Amino acid sequence: VLLGNGRAVVDTLELTAPTLKAIGEYGRALERAHVDPFQYDFSVAHGVRVSDLIPQPLVESALSGDSLVVIPHDQLHVLPWAGLLHEQRRLFELVPVGVLPSLAAMGSAGHTGRPTRVMRVGVGIYPGLDRLIDLPSVTGEIEDVGRAYSAAGTDVPDALLGDTATERGFWQAARRLAGPGSLLHMSCHGTMVPTEPMSSGLLLTDAKIDAAEIAQGGARFDEVVLSACSTGWRPHEVDDVRLTADEILGIPGGFLEAGTAAVLVSIPPAEGRAARALTTRYHEARAEGTSPL
């Protein structure tokens, strides 16, 4: 169903067996610890294009709009929609692309204006947790974000970085800095819990801030940027319960429940240098007044 310009247009497309197989392989790759990163580029690695998922007439109509918000179903919610290929170009090259978990969430998905206050949190080293690799790009990324907004005259308080990025410090700063015009940027390790998605979270120096705490924490940021692994992933099945449609689970769901209008996440694991380059350019554009989408 395509909603736009006061109209609803309906069409059908039966997904082929190769497309369904590719979706399954991609979904399983997201849950494995060591995978060739090429497998996360769904269109190129698996040969699936937008027109293999959505009827061609709807695709063409959607691309004539000023922006596109995709509300996918079942396993389709973890596809990298903005990066899918249409003909020879990525979808985001043709139109700004966003994703929502349900049509009900559309009412709170308006654009946020230029940020007026930025909270930055970064953890690059986790002493005593040998299984967590160091994140050498974190400090530079936090500094890049600060410079982007300081140059635009935005209020940029001191960052919570390293030892100061504790659970207590996070909530104290969040309750002080959240509110209208606020933006939260976090650069750290993310963790996903397939059997209990609201326990997925972001790792600080001394604790984990999980999705349930975020939803109930009472700190409402207009906008959130999560430079961390698998923050956009959520399961399509928990135990024997299928999560096929409007369930807002996982880290993005926690922020949406808290009232955030825009959340930038990574569905697969994130590579540090790439995350720094992407988020820095994103913040430079936001500081100039470009909308999140």
Side-chain angles (χ1 to χ4, degrees):
V1 181
L2 177 66
L3 304 176
N5 299 322
R7 300 176 60 234
V9 182
V10 182
D11 203 343
T12 60
L13 173 68
E14 184 174 354
L15 301 187
T16 66
T19 296
L20 291 170
K21 180 181 178 182
I23 292 170
E25 291 176 350
Y26 167 80
R28 287 188 290 274
L30 292 176
E31 297 187 49
R32 293 201 294 270
H34 302 289
V35 175
D36 178 0
F38 179 70
Q39 296 302 311
Y40 302 133
D41 190 349
F42 186 61
S43 281
V44 175
H46 300 280
V48 178
R49 297 171 179 266
V50 178
S51 57
D52 294 316
L53 302 167
I54 300 174
Q56 184 70 16
L58 295 193
V59 176
E60 296 300 332
S61 294
L63 294 179
S64 68
D66 294 328
S67 60
L68 173 64
V69 176
V70 182
I71 302 174
H73 180 71
D74 203 5
Q75 296 183 67
L76 300 182
H77 59 64
V78 292
L79 294 186
W81 284 95
L84 297 184
L85 284 172
H86 177 63
E87 296 177 350
Q88 299 303 315
R89 300 177 70 186
R90 305 284 183 170
L91 203 57
F92 72 81
E93 296 181 274
L94 303 171
V95 65
V97 181
V99 176
L100 281 175
S102 70
L103 189 59
M106 181 71 78
S108 61
H111 294 309
T112 58
R114 186 198 306 264
T116 59
R117 187 170 57 261
V118 177
M119 175 176 165
R120 297 168 297 152
V121 182
V123 183
I125 300 175
Y126 293 82
L129 297 176
D130 296 337
R131 64 185 181 84
L132 295 178
I133 62 171
D134 291 347
L135 304 174
S137 299
V138 165
T139 299
E141 181 179 306
I142 292 296
E143 293 173 347
D144 289 345
V145 174
R147 277 192 293 268
Y149 288 106
S150 293
T154 303
D155 181 18
V156 185
D158 291 342
L160 299 179
L161 190 60
D163 292 343
T164 65
T166 63
E167 181 179 24
R168 181 179 180 183
F170 173 85
W171 286 116
Q172 286 179 340
R175 289 172 182 134
R176 185 177 74 254
L177 300 175
S182 62
L183 180 149
L184 169 66
H185 176 99
M186 297 189 68
S187 181
C188 58
H189 273 297
T191 178
M192 61 180 185
V193 184
T195 57
E196 195 172 343
M198 293 306 285
S199 290
S200 297
L202 301 152
L203 299 181
L204 301 178
T205 57
D206 64 343
K208 177 178 70 173
I209 302 292
D210 66 30
E213 291 175 304
I214 292 166
Q216 301 170 10
R220 175 176 178 170
F221 289 89
D222 280 350
E223 182 178 354
V224 173
V225 174
L226 301 177
S227 184
C229 290
S230 306
T231 47
W233 182 88
R234 62 188 179 103
H236 62 272
E237 185 172 345
V238 175
D239 295 328
D240 295 327
V241 179
R242 293 282 294 176
L243 308 176
T244 58
D246 291 351
E247 297 86 358
I248 307 178
L249 300 176
I251 298 171
F255 282 107
L256 290 174
E257 287 286 341
T260 298
V263 188
L264 181 64
V265 295
S266 175
I267 295 170
E271 196 279 328
R273 292 165 299 177
R276 178 180 177 182
L278 173 66
T279 57
T280 297
R281 183 66 193 97
Y282 175 86
H283 286 298
E284 289 171 349
R286 288 292 290 125
E288 295 167 359
T290 305
S291 75
L293 195 57

